[in-house]
Amino acid sequence: PAVIYGHNRAPESLAVDGAVLGKLLSGITAGSTILDVSLDGAEPVKALIREIQRHPLRATDVLHLDLYEVRADEEITLEVPLKVVGIPDGVRNFGGVLDQVMHRLEIQVFPADIPPHIELDVTNLGIGKSLFVRDVKLDKGEILNDPTLPVCSVVAPRTEEAPVAAVPTEAPAEPELIRKPKAEAEGEAETKA
């Protein structure tokens, strides 16, 4: 089962062939690919996949599909995957670790200009340096995320220090000698004599 809605269209229920849909989904980026949807022999309409509901145990089985009809002359808002390219200088030369905070960006764009992903070159990123949303370049369309949000950064490697042995602050106490009480020791000496 599926549903198509959007662009002044009342939600309309559809039936989609599961095997064909599975093959289609394996070769595309679902949220950013325009599909041609034919409805009962009518003229095909352009649509985006808005949501895919999958079986909880068999992830390849699609339970429901939401399609959103789009028009070529109207901008749409969607999320696009962010692809980090290159090995940062801080990782390659100084043993740092690349920490990617954001994996998708929200953009507003015409349907024909939807990129499959947005590339971000991190080659010149040193230890302690970050790239922000404002550093991401998009040829067509507008990025809607806050420009001050960090996308990724290179952090110094974390090392665990060995615990320092505690140094006693007091002088060590004299060892305790175990002796027999005097009265017992004297009594034993007398019996031996």
Side-chain angles (χ1 to χ4, degrees):
V3 65
I4 187 167
Y5 56 90
H7 199 272
N8 301 324
R9 171 191 288 273
E12 186 176 341
S13 296
L14 306 172
V16 179
D17 184 346
V20 173
L21 181 63
K23 288 179 184 177
L24 173 73
L25 293 177
S26 68
I28 64 168
T29 304
S32 60
T33 302
I34 301 284
L35 304 174
D36 287 327
V37 180
S38 296
L39 304 171
D40 294 328
E43 187 72 23
V45 295
K46 305 283 186 192
L48 275 174
I49 298 174
R50 280 293 190 198
E51 184 179 0
I52 302 172
Q53 296 173 359
R54 297 184 183 271
H55 189 279
L57 299 177
R58 296 182 309 270
T60 56
D61 292 354
V62 176
L63 299 176
H64 191 268
L65 185 69
D66 284 7
L67 299 169
Y68 181 76
E69 183 182 354
V70 296
R71 298 282 184 202
D73 59 345
E74 293 179 6
E75 287 187 324
I76 56 173
T77 301
L78 70 152
E79 287 189 344
V80 177
L82 188 62
K83 182 179 180 183
V84 175
V85 178
I87 299 173
D89 180 54
V91 171
R92 183 177 50 249
N93 296 322
F94 301 103
V97 177
L98 179 66
D99 182 19
Q100 186 175 354
V101 180
M102 296 181 78
H103 297 276
R104 302 180 74 73
L105 289 176
E106 187 175 14
I107 65 171
Q108 186 170 15
V109 65
F110 288 106
D113 299 327
I114 297 173
H117 59 270
I118 299 172
E119 288 189 0
L120 180 61
D121 185 11
V122 295
T123 308
N124 296 324
L125 205 56
I127 289 185
K129 301 296 181 187
S130 299
L131 289 177
F132 298 88
V133 171
R134 66 177 168 257
D135 300 321
V136 178
K137 303 297 180 221
L138 184 63
D139 294 334
K140 297 179 180 178
E142 176 185 0
I143 298 173
L144 301 177
N145 298 82
D146 181 357
T148 62
L149 290 175
V151 174
C152 62
S153 58
V154 175
V155 294
R158 295 182 185 166
T159 58
E160 187 173 316
E161 293 183 19
V164 178
V167 178
T169 55
E170 300 176 4
E174 300 238 352
E176 182 182 335
L177 297 176
I178 301 176
R179 297 184 193 162
K180 293 183 179 179
K182 274 188 175 182
E184 288 179 20
E186 288 175 6
E188 285 180 18
E190 290 175 8
T191 57
K192 289 183 183 178

